[in-house]
Amino acid sequence: NMCFLIRSAILIIAACGGLVVCFWYPFSLSLTVTGAADCFLTSIQKAEFWSQLIFYWITSLPCFAILCTGWKISTSVKNNTVFSAVTAHRLNRCGNVLFIDLAVFSAGNIILLLLELNSFALLYFMTAAIGFATAVMCKVFSQIAEKAAEQKNELESFI
């Protein structure tokens, strides 16, 4: 039952992420580059649009990789092996990847804000804050899983 819930949440998050990547980024960037005007893009505007879009796509990729790792972790939940060194390592790796991705994402958004190319900076910084909280939770759960695995091994060797 818990595995089903985790996998359902992963699928919903992946679907929302897909919508953001496929629709929100191009839409928001077209508003930022051209405003509300319906016009042809100049070569400079095309460069601004595509460079930002590629940046957001690249910084979104690790998030989808983390969801794939979350799917593997849900298998550990299903098999009742969630408190293991393997799960702890996966959670730790997810946290590390997310921290690095957030650093790149935040730095890129600060640069875009300073260049006055980021009309949705507040939204992206709120997204980064949610990502930061998620990364911290991954690290905390990693520590919990690691300690539980150690205690399980101690108990098994004692018996």
Side-chain angles (χ1 to χ4, degrees):
N1 191 23
M2 186 64 80
C3 178
F4 174 76
L5 292 174
I6 292 170
R7 287 183 174 178
S8 297
I10 289 170
L11 290 174
I12 290 168
I13 292 168
C16 291
L19 290 173
V20 167
V21 168
C22 293
F23 297 107
W24 171 252
Y25 288 155
F27 172 72
S28 66
L29 292 175
S30 66
L31 286 178
T32 300
V33 172
T34 63
D38 186 26
C39 61
F40 292 104
L41 297 177
T42 66
S43 59
I44 293 173
Q45 288 174 324
K46 285 180 185 178
E48 288 175 10
F49 175 83
W50 283 106
S51 62
Q52 290 179 67
L53 187 60
I54 290 169
F55 165 74
Y56 285 123
W57 281 347
I58 288 172
T59 56
S60 296
L61 287 176
C63 299
F64 290 104
I66 289 170
L67 290 175
C68 292
T69 304
W71 192 272
K72 291 177 185 175
I73 292 170
S74 74
T75 302
S76 298
V77 171
K78 182 179 180 182
N79 297 333
N80 205 20
T81 59
V82 71
F83 295 115
S84 66
V86 172
T87 301
H89 177 71
R90 285 179 177 158
L91 285 166
N92 188 40
R93 188 177 54 218
C94 286
N96 290 339
V97 167
L98 196 49
F99 277 127
I100 292 167
D101 188 45
L102 285 169
V104 172
F105 182 78
S106 297
N109 276 300
I110 289 170
I111 291 169
L112 292 171
L113 183 64
L114 293 174
L115 294 172
E116 298 179 2
L117 296 174
N118 194 347
S119 298
F120 297 96
L122 180 62
L123 178 67
Y124 294 136
F125 289 126
M126 288 174 29
T127 303
I130 292 168
F132 181 77
T134 304
V136 168
M137 288 181 2
C138 284
K139 298 294 269 185
V140 167
F141 290 147
S142 168
Q143 290 295 315
I144 291 170
E146 187 176 322
K147 296 295 181 191
E150 288 173 7
Q151 288 179 353
K152 180 180 171 187
N153 288 337
E154 272 183 31
L155 185 62
E156 287 176 353
S157 66
F158 182 72
I159 293 175

